Amino acid sequence: MSQKLIRILALIKKEFLSIFKDPKSRALIITPPLLQLLVFAHAITMEVKNIDISILDYSKSNYSRELISRFSNSSWFRKVYFVNTKKEMKDDIDLKKSQIGIIIQNDLAKNIASKKPTEVLIIADGRQTNSASLASSYASNIISSYSSELQKTSSASVNVIIRNWFNPNIEYKWFLTVSLIVMLSMVLCLLLSALSIARERELGSFNQLLVSPLSHSEILISKTIPPLIVAFISSIIITLIIVFCFRVPFGGNIFLYLISTIVSLTSIVAIGLFISSFSYTQQQAILGVFAFQTPAVLLSGFVSPVEDMPLFFQKISLINPLRYYMLLNKGIYFKGMDSLTVLKALIPLIGISAIMFILARFSFKLKVDN
């Protein structure tokens, strides 16, 4: 075993001992994630304002165009996308381009002319339970209003059928608990990594690292592994609690889930190390964590869908690792996201990790040299 690897392993061991010997660090690892999981799962509520919709019109009649115009002119819906196949609609919903889909059957005009009941299908994205429930309700109201007007003139009616993909019963706890895997893992990972170098400076042991044979890169690598392992194990424990205690079924590939979790947490560790590299005290590191954490959560799609945000904030969210972590976690957990889609979301995370590690090393070296 090379001397470089021995030095890194020794420092990793020291970092684990620093975390677990400190009562505050032990409490940080165990207590907050479990308490927040139990409290947030029952206490958080959300609100959705804007909704994008995909419409598949098999009828292509005056009646269907009249119905579609009501969606286009509604204040509830922002954009209306027209698709030609069910696959296109599925892709729109999978990629969160639209929150719901409307399928108008080809017998709509015939049934209305014959004064027979006809059906319109609403497809909702159950991964976002709140927006799915609201969007379905808004769409149902529009269709019901259209049906009431038809009944006055022709005695025909339009019935609404609602189907929720990925979360059939719109269990709000499903969405919330799975989202909390991301939120709680992020908080733990970010805090542990952000406090690592700052803690060394505050305790006075930082100079001992500098006079050791360890290079700057070796120090940063050794500071990366322990927070990553602790946060990864915590995320797995929380996932198991959600599956077996909250009874939220896991519908994806466990290997892709584990890989996406590791890559996502690595990008967050990199940001934590960058914060820690220019923090002289743990208090400064905590303030840095807070400065990053609040906007990152708001721009992740946890509070409201990213697609419903102003374009400016949608662009900013592209450099937010939490956005991709949230997308991967819920996508794999609920609908079994395929490997190609997972890879597309992992590439930005790898890029963010690389850039933040480079910035952390540069900042660390700059502080040491000065």
Side-chain angles (χ1 to χ4, degrees):
M1 187 181 296
S2 68
Q3 291 298 315
K4 183 176 182 179
L5 183 58
I6 292 174
R7 292 196 299 268
I8 291 175
L9 290 175
L11 197 55
I12 290 174
K13 180 180 178 181
K14 171 189 171 298
E15 191 67 19
F16 271 118
L17 291 174
S18 298
I19 292 173
F20 288 105
K21 282 188 175 181
D22 182 10
K24 294 181 179 178
S25 296
R26 289 201 303 269
L28 180 68
I29 292 170
I30 300 170
T31 308
L34 294 179
L35 285 179
Q36 291 176 63
L37 176 63
L38 295 175
V39 173
F40 289 171
H42 299 283
I44 293 179
T45 58
M46 298 180 186
E47 181 182 5
V48 174
K49 294 181 178 178
N50 299 315
I51 303 163
D52 294 336
I53 181 172
S54 294
I55 295 180
L56 176 56
D57 181 12
Y58 284 124
S59 177
K60 299 187 186 301
S61 62
N62 291 332
Y63 293 108
S64 64
R65 284 189 285 270
E66 169 64 21
L67 177 58
I68 291 170
S69 69
R70 296 177 180 240
F71 286 98
S72 302
N73 297 323
S74 170
S75 59
W76 292 328
F77 298 95
R78 182 178 57 182
K79 293 181 181 178
V80 176
Y81 299 101
F82 294 95
V83 297
N84 297 314
T85 64
K86 289 183 179 179
K87 185 181 184 305
E88 289 182 28
M89 178 175 289
K90 181 179 183 299
D91 292 341
D92 282 356
I93 295 176
D94 280 355
L95 300 174
K96 295 190 175 182
K97 183 179 179 181
S98 57
Q99 281 76 60
I100 65 169
I102 303 291
I103 299 179
I104 301 174
Q105 305 296 343
N106 55 12
D107 59 358
L108 176 76
K110 178 183 175 182
N111 288 340
I112 291 176
S114 304
K115 299 181 180 181
K116 295 179 180 179
T118 189
E119 295 176 345
V120 172
L121 179 63
I122 299 175
I123 304 293
D125 185 356
R127 291 171 296 178
Q128 292 278 2
T129 55
N130 196 55
S131 59
S133 179
L134 286 173
S136 299
S137 176
Y138 296 156
S140 180
N141 287 340
I142 290 175
I143 297 171
S144 296
S145 175
Y146 178 64
S147 177
S148 297
E149 292 186 14
L150 282 175
Q151 287 178 331
K152 293 177 182 178
T153 57
S154 65
S155 300
S157 63
V158 180
N159 300 323
V160 179
I161 299 176
I162 300 176
R163 293 179 184 171
N164 301 299
W165 286 353
F166 319 128
N167 187 356
N169 297 320
I170 302 296
E171 293 281 351
Y172 183 72
K173 197 170 289 185
W174 284 25
F175 160 76
L176 186 58
T177 52
V178 174
S179 297
L180 285 175
I181 298 172
V182 175
M183 308 309 297
L184 301 180
S185 300
M186 180 272 296
V187 171
L188 182 60
C189 187
L190 192 61
L191 274 174
L192 289 178
S193 56
L195 293 174
S196 58
I197 298 175
R199 182 174 58 245
E200 298 278 3
R201 286 195 175 108
E202 195 170 296
L203 296 176
S205 57
F206 186 67
N207 291 333
Q208 297 177 14
L209 285 178
L210 298 180
V211 298
S212 68
L214 293 162
S215 66
H216 297 157
S217 298
E218 290 171 350
I219 293 174
L220 286 177
I221 291 173
S222 64
K223 296 291 185 182
T224 300
I225 304 300
L228 181 61
I229 292 176
V230 172
F232 178 73
I233 293 174
S234 176
S235 68
I236 297 304
I237 292 173
I238 293 172
T239 301
L240 292 174
I241 291 173
I242 289 170
V243 171
F244 294 106
C245 296
F246 286 93
R247 303 293 182 183
V248 182
F250 183 88
N253 184 303
I254 187 65
F255 176 75
L256 290 177
Y257 185 77
L258 295 177
I259 292 295
S260 67
T261 300
I262 291 172
V263 175
S264 300
L265 291 177
T266 300
S267 67
I268 296 171
V269 168
I271 292 173
L273 288 178
F274 176 67
I275 293 172
S276 189
S277 66
F278 60 77
S279 300
Y280 287 100
T281 66
Q282 295 186 71
Q283 184 178 11
Q284 290 178 349
I286 291 172
L287 289 174
V289 167
F290 181 77
F292 166 79
Q293 180 178 299
T294 302
V297 170
L298 293 174
L299 295 173
S300 68
F302 175 61
V303 177
S304 62
V306 174
E307 297 77 16
D308 290 341
M309 298 177 187
L311 184 60
F312 174 74
F313 290 106
Q314 290 187 40
K315 297 294 185 183
I316 293 178
S317 71
L318 293 175
I319 59 173
N320 179 16
L322 217 57
R323 169 182 177 170
Y324 302 103
Y325 188 10
M326 189 73 71
L327 173 67
L328 286 165
N329 198 71
K330 290 194 292 186
I332 296 174
Y333 195 107
F334 282 130
K335 75 182 192 67
M337 187 182 285
D338 61 86
S339 56
L340 181 60
T341 308
V342 170
L343 180 61
K344 289 179 181 178
L346 287 178
I347 291 174
L349 283 172
I350 294 171
I352 292 171
S353 300
I355 292 171
M356 295 311 300
F357 274 124
I358 291 171
L359 291 176
R361 187 182 183 283
F362 176 77
S363 175
F364 179 77
K365 186 176 184 299
L366 193 65
K367 290 287 184 182
V368 170
D369 292 342
N370 290 339

